[in-house]
Amino acid sequence: MSNKLAISGGTPVRNIQTHPWPSWPIRTYEEWKLEIEPLLREVYMSGNEGSGGEMIPRFCDQYAKYTRTNYALFMPHGTDAIGAALAGALDLDGFSDGGEVIVPNYTFVATASAVLERRCTVAYVDVCPDTFTIDPKAVEAAIRPETRAILPVHLGGHPAEMGALHEIAQRHQLKIIEDCAQAHGAEFRTKKVGGLGDVGAFSFQSSKNLTSGEGGMVTTDDKDIHDRVCAFMNVGRAPGGARWEYPRLGWNYRPSEYLAVLLSVRLEHLEAQTDQRSRNANYLSKTLTDITGITPPIQASWVTKHGYHLYCMKYNPDGFGGKSRDEFVKALSAEGIPCSIGYRSPLSQEPGMAHVAEKYPHLIRTLPCSNAELVCNQSVWLFQNLLLGTQSDDLCQLITFV
C-alpha cells in the first residue's frame, strides 16, 4: 500500500472501477429469467395489475408471516405507511386535531412530516448517544395531556428499547407506531420489528434492505387498526367489502401488482442477507475497536438481530491527528469507501422543519436534544451494500491507514 493518501494524489486502496462494491439491489439474469419474469407475465396476462389482482394479497401474507404479525398492508411509499399507521392506530379522519406524537430528533424527515400531514403535532425528544434511537427517559419527560403516541425509529437497523417504551405507553395509555424503514429483519429479544408496537411502518425505497424502488408496508396484530388502515388506503372501503360501499372516508394509496412481484422474490433472500450483513459488521467492529478515534456501532443487549441498513460509527478527530470529520470522510471516499456524515443536524433544526415551527409554533415542540446534536457532529455512516462483501474487503485496513 502507498503511504500517500488518494486525496493527496496516491493510489486508492480500492479501485471501485475494477473492484466495485456489491451493487444494490442485487440482480442476476438467472433470477430474472427463472423467478421474476414468469411472475410479471402472470400479472400482465391476468389483466389485474392493481385492484383485484392476486400478487399483492400473496405478498402481504408472505410479509405478515415474515414479521410474525397478523396483518400486513402494502402501500406505495414508506411515508404513506407511517401516515396510514398513525391513522389506523389513532383513528384519525384527517380533519380534526390528531394530538401530539413524540418523535426522535435524529431521523429522516418523513418520520415527522407524515405526523404533520395527518394533522398531528410533533414533540421532538432526544436519543440515546450509543444506539442513536429514541431515549425512553426523554419520552417520559415529554408526555403531557395532548400526547397520544410514541413513534420510535429503529435507526440504521438497531431496534429501539421497546421494553421501556411499552411500559411508558401502557402507563400513559399511548399508542406505539414503529418506524421500521431502516430495520427490515431486525429483532428485539427474538421478535421481529413491525410487531413490537401497536402498528409498524416499513419502506421499500431504493436504498432499503428490501426494495422495489418505492413502496411501503403497514404491519399490525390489531384487527381494528388493520381495518382502519385498509379503509384509509382504499378509498374508505372495508376489508372484503363491496366496491361501491364506503363505511369510512379514505384515500387512494393502492400500489401496483408489479411491485409486489419484485418484493415477493427479494423477500426470500432478506434473512440470509441480513445475517451476512451482521457477520461482516461484527467482524468490522472487532477490528475497529482498537482504533483510537473510531467508536463502532453499539449493539444493545435487547438486540438479537441488527438490520444494519447503516453501519453508524462515531468519529473523534483526536485519534486522527486533529483531522476534521469532513476531512476523514473525503479521504475515505477518495480511497474507494463510500460513506457519509449522515444527518447533518437534528431534524428540528433542518430549514424546512424550522420554518414550519416558526410559522406554526403550535405544531412543533422541541425538548432538549443534546445527544442528538452530539451524534450529528460525530457520526460516520457506511452503507448496507458494503456489508454484503467479503471479510477480506478493505474497510478495516483503509480506516487504519487514513
Side-chain angles (χ1 to χ4, degrees):
M1 183 194 295
S2 168
N3 290 323
K4 193 175 185 181
L5 291 172
I7 201 169
S8 302
T11 301
V13 169
R14 188 181 185 101
N15 185 333
I16 59 175
Q17 300 302 317
T18 60
H19 193 195
W21 294 100
S23 62
W24 189 256
I26 295 171
R27 54 204 181 275
T28 66
Y29 179 78
E30 289 75 17
E31 183 178 65
W32 165 261
K33 203 65 183 170
L34 296 176
E35 299 184 63
I36 295 175
E37 187 181 40
L39 291 173
L40 290 176
R41 187 185 304 112
E42 180 183 329
V43 172
Y44 181 80
M45 296 304 296
S46 74
N48 290 315
E49 299 176 350
S51 298
E54 296 181 0
M55 197 59 62
I56 289 173
R58 192 186 308 174
F59 173 60
C60 288
D61 288 345
Q62 184 184 6
Y63 203 76
K65 289 175 183 174
Y66 178 76
T67 55
R68 304 167 202 158
T69 54
N70 290 338
Y71 307 101
L73 284 159
F74 191 26
M75 302 289 294
H77 308 96
T79 306
D80 303 334
I82 296 173
L86 283 161
L90 301 180
D91 195 7
L92 303 177
D93 59 17
F95 297 101
S96 61
D97 178 9
E100 185 176 75
V101 179
I102 296 175
V103 173
N105 208 359
Y106 188 75
T107 186
F108 182 61
V109 64
T111 306
S113 64
V115 173
L116 294 170
E117 193 270 338
R118 286 291 89 214
R119 299 199 64 176
C120 296
T121 63
V122 172
Y124 286 113
V125 301
D126 212 356
V127 296
C128 297
D130 294 330
T131 66
F132 299 5
T133 60
I134 197 166
D135 181 354
K137 292 180 181 177
V139 170
E140 182 99 57
I143 294 171
R144 59 182 186 174
E146 299 93 324
T147 306
R148 294 193 65 191
I150 308 167
L151 209 168
V153 179
H154 305 308
L155 196 122
H158 188 291
E161 216 295 54
M162 296 301 293
L165 294 176
H166 264 295
E167 192 277 327
I168 293 169
Q170 290 176 356
R171 188 151 33 87
H172 294 277
Q173 297 183 316
L174 304 176
K175 297 293 185 181
I176 296 179
I177 296 95
E178 297 175 73
D179 183 339
C180 309
Q182 299 180 358
H184 307 79
E187 295 179 1
F188 173 91
R189 293 176 182 159
T190 72
K191 188 169 183 180
K192 294 288 187 189
V193 300
L196 302 172
D198 294 281
V199 61
F202 291 83
S203 170
F204 304 132
Q205 178 266 346
S206 56
S207 72
K208 299 304 189 291
N209 294 20
L210 179 63
T211 180
S212 53
E214 291 290 352
M217 186 70 82
V218 176
T219 54
T220 186
D221 288 328
D222 188 306
K223 185 180 184 303
D224 290 337
I225 291 177
H226 164 268
D227 291 354
R228 288 192 287 264
V229 171
C230 186
F232 174 90
M233 56 87 68
N234 194 21
V235 297
R237 296 187 180 110
R243 178 172 182 145
W244 311 117
E245 293 180 358
Y246 317 102
R248 291 177 64 91
L249 187 62
W251 288 262
N252 183 357
Y253 289 95
R254 297 188 302 264
S256 165
E257 284 272 285
Y258 292 110
L259 295 182
V261 167
L262 288 175
L263 291 163
S264 65
V265 172
R266 289 172 175 168
L267 180 58
E268 296 295 335
H269 307 291
L270 176 59
E271 196 73 358
Q273 290 168 350
T274 302
D275 290 340
Q276 184 178 0
R277 291 187 188 97
S278 293
R279 285 192 299 271
N280 285 333
N282 292 337
Y283 173 82
L284 180 59
S285 292
K286 287 177 183 177
T287 305
L288 294 182
T289 298
D290 296 329
I291 298 178
T292 304
I294 294 292
T295 303
I298 301 298
Q299 188 161 313
S301 59
W302 58 80
V303 178
T304 48
K305 184 170 290 192
H306 197 305
Y308 279 113
H309 175 64
L310 300 168
Y311 185 91
C312 300
M313 305 181 288
K314 290 195 288 187
Y315 175 78
N316 185 340
D318 293 342
F320 292 86
K323 286 179 181 165
S324 71
R325 181 181 56 162
D326 284 344
E327 289 178 289
F328 176 77
V329 166
K330 287 178 182 178
L332 274 185
S333 298
E335 298 289 352
I337 309 294
C339 57
S340 171
I341 65 171
Y343 304 131
R344 298 169 186 269
S345 64
L347 183 52
S348 62
Q349 296 177 19
E350 283 295 316
M353 201 61 66
H355 173 73
V356 172
E358 182 179 359
K359 191 172 182 179
Y360 308 102
H362 64 289
L363 293 182
I364 296 177
R365 183 167 64 106
T366 304
L367 284 296
C369 294
S370 58
N371 290 335
E373 293 177 1
L374 185 68
V375 168
C376 286
N377 291 330
Q378 294 181 335
S379 64
V380 175
W381 292 355
L382 302 176
F383 303 108
Q384 56 92 2
N385 64 303
L386 275 65
L387 297 174
L388 292 174
T390 65
Q391 292 184 357
S392 63
D393 278 326
D394 309 307
L395 288 171
C396 305
Q397 181 184 24
L398 180 59
I399 291 174
T400 306
F401 177 56
V402 173

